[in-house]
Amino acid sequence: MFGYRSAAPRVRLTTDRLVVRLVHERDAWRLADYYAENRAFLKPWEPVRDESHCYPSGWQARLSMITDMHKQGSAFYFIVMDPEEKEVRGVANFSNVLRGSFHACYLGYSLGEKWQGQGVMFEALQSAIRYMQRQQRMHRIMANYMPHNQRSGNLLARLGFEKEGYAKDYLLIDGQWQDHVLTALTWREWTPERRG
């Protein structure tokens, strides 16, 4: 098919405490468990989720679409797991990947309640961002957070994201339009890919 890669990329990154890898269709039950366990905790920070988010059957259809996006190179959905890959601790999604003269994407993430405050997401995102910059050639990664989510703001600042603006009523979160602080991380060492 024109414009499509032949197979979904297999990406598995390891850090001192984690495995950060692209989701695949066999992860439906793991993701359902993560969202069911953290449903109340994540509710104030995410769009309204329907019941299917907490069931493997709901994730099977989603993961099929995500696999297609991986093949096309238009999005990269990572799960953050323990070293034995038994439990999802968090997710990190790089979506709306554009290339051409932009080479940019959006980053979204969440971390389970019991893993908060331990540097887990910082460790995971360092690895995933490095992959997106070096392997997927992203010059610019944008991430936005609600002003009252200072923990997220601090994480992005620690990763090198810079504030670029403020958007009123930017995203529909938990049923309410929420303002967001707009940030971006630019890879200053980016150079065009050389072709044979």
Side-chain angles (χ1 to χ4, degrees), residues 94-105:
F94 296 86
S95 60
N96 297 319
V97 174
L98 296 172
R99 299 181 195 274
S101 60
F102 201 29
H103 286 273
C105 63

Side-chain angles (χ1 to χ4, degrees), residues 17 39 46 193:
R17 301 179 290 168
R39 183 178 207 161
E46 295 197 332
E193 218 172 357

Side-chain angles (χ1 to χ4, degrees), residues 14-19 81-83 89 118-123:
T14 57
T15 70
D16 289 343
R17 301 179 290 168
L18 305 166
V19 169
M81 305 185 78
D82 61 288
R89 295 181 178 177
Q118 299 173 42
V120 171
M121 189 51 74
F122 177 77
E123 186 176 323

Side-chain angles (χ1 to χ4, degrees), residues 60-88:
Q60 287 166 343
R62 259 183 224 101
L63 287 169
S64 179
M65 288 188 308
I66 289 169
T67 298
D68 286 344
M69 289 188 276
H70 288 169
K71 288 177 185 174
Q72 296 167 24
S74 63
F76 297 86
Y77 285 73
F78 289 89
I79 49 177
V80 178
M81 305 185 78
D82 61 288
E84 292 77 40
E85 298 185 51
K86 300 224 183 304
E87 179 185 23
V88 175

